[in-house]
Amino acid sequence: MKKYTKSDPTFNEEITITEPTDPGHADNINAAPKQIFENTLANKKEIEKGDSKERTITFTSGDVEGDAATEWSDVEKMVSGEKHKSLFNKISTMFKNVRYLYNVLGSEDLSQIGAGTVTGIVAALKQAAFLNPTNNLLATILGTSLDAVQGRILKEGQDALQDQITQINSDLILNSAFETWIMCY
């Protein structure tokens, strides 16, 4: 017996097998085992290349269609040595999270606010809403931060009622004093 090796193996989807009428020569007997061995070497070589562009991966997708992304899903950290199935599941869940963020953020053009970055927009909103809020009881213009034009109307009504109450109390004191003076005389 001799050792058999193949430096440039090729994969073949079929093998030749001996039939009862074939002569028992080593070329005939060894044809099938040689091709199976070459197929094994070709598969090993392909696997070791690490190229999976033509391989089909079966995995559970965490992704959904655009508007169906209604909640955030946590994704575990990717680590070396993971199977493709696990990686694709994590990546698809990340895509779903991106769709969720897009749905939550909407499609309004925010490029003119805070340089268009989320950090800049939040800073601009803090500046507008919390550092210079509108006095709701004095507001006359709609559209300012924390405006409530109705608050001014209510304040004016409250002030008018307070003036009336003060006048009534004053009148009661005067009437009582007048009645007391009359009774004394």
Side-chain angles (χ1 to χ4, degrees):
M1 294 184 80
K2 70 176 185 174
K3 291 185 179 183
Y4 172 76
T5 188
K6 185 80 170 182
S7 60
D8 190 25
T10 57
F11 183 87
N12 195 330
E13 292 187 9
E14 59 183 42
I15 60 170
T16 306
I17 58 173
T18 56
E19 295 188 49
T21 57
D22 291 336
H25 189 272
D27 289 341
N28 290 335
I29 302 295
N30 290 331
K34 280 182 173 181
Q35 188 57 58
I36 291 171
F37 181 67
E38 282 192 43
N39 284 355
T40 302
L41 291 176
N43 284 337
K44 181 179 183 281
K45 185 177 177 181
E46 185 66 28
I47 289 168
E48 288 175 347
K49 272 199 290 187
D51 187 358
S52 62
K53 68 182 176 189
E54 298 298 326
R55 293 195 182 108
T56 300
I57 311 279
T58 303
F59 66 99
T60 304
S61 177
D63 198 5
V64 295
E65 295 291 329
D67 290 342
T70 58
E71 63 185 6
W72 182 267
S73 297
D74 290 333
V75 180
E76 291 181 25
K77 178 183 171 188
M78 286 193 246
V79 295
S80 177
E82 278 192 71
K83 297 190 181 303
H84 286 163
K85 175 180 172 178
S86 174
L87 291 172
F88 277 95
N89 175 261
K90 290 176 181 180
I91 292 167
S92 68
T93 302
M94 289 177 200
F95 272 100
K96 194 248 347 164
N97 286 343
V98 169
R99 292 180 208 283
Y100 169 72
L101 288 175
Y102 180 80
N103 290 339
V104 171
L105 294 175
S107 58
E108 189 71 30
D109 178 14
L110 304 174
S111 62
Q112 302 303 314
I113 304 170
T117 66
V118 173
T119 304
I121 291 168
V122 169
L125 289 174
K126 280 183 180 178
Q127 177 72 27
F130 302 115
L131 297 181
N132 297 312
T134 300
N135 182 338
N136 292 339
L137 298 177
L138 303 175
T140 58
I141 301 171
L142 287 172
T144 57
S145 66
L146 302 177
D147 72 11
V149 174
Q150 190 62 39
R152 180 163 190 234
I153 294 168
L154 292 172
K155 173 67 171 149
E156 289 171 356
Q158 179 186 10
D159 290 346
L161 287 174
Q162 187 61 47
D163 289 346
Q164 290 175 1
I165 290 170
T166 301
Q167 185 60 48
I168 290 170
N169 284 340
S170 178
D171 290 347
L172 286 174
I173 291 171
L174 284 176
N175 284 341
S176 176
F178 181 71
E179 287 176 7
T180 305
W181 182 76
I182 295 235
M183 287 186 178
C184 289
Y185 292 102

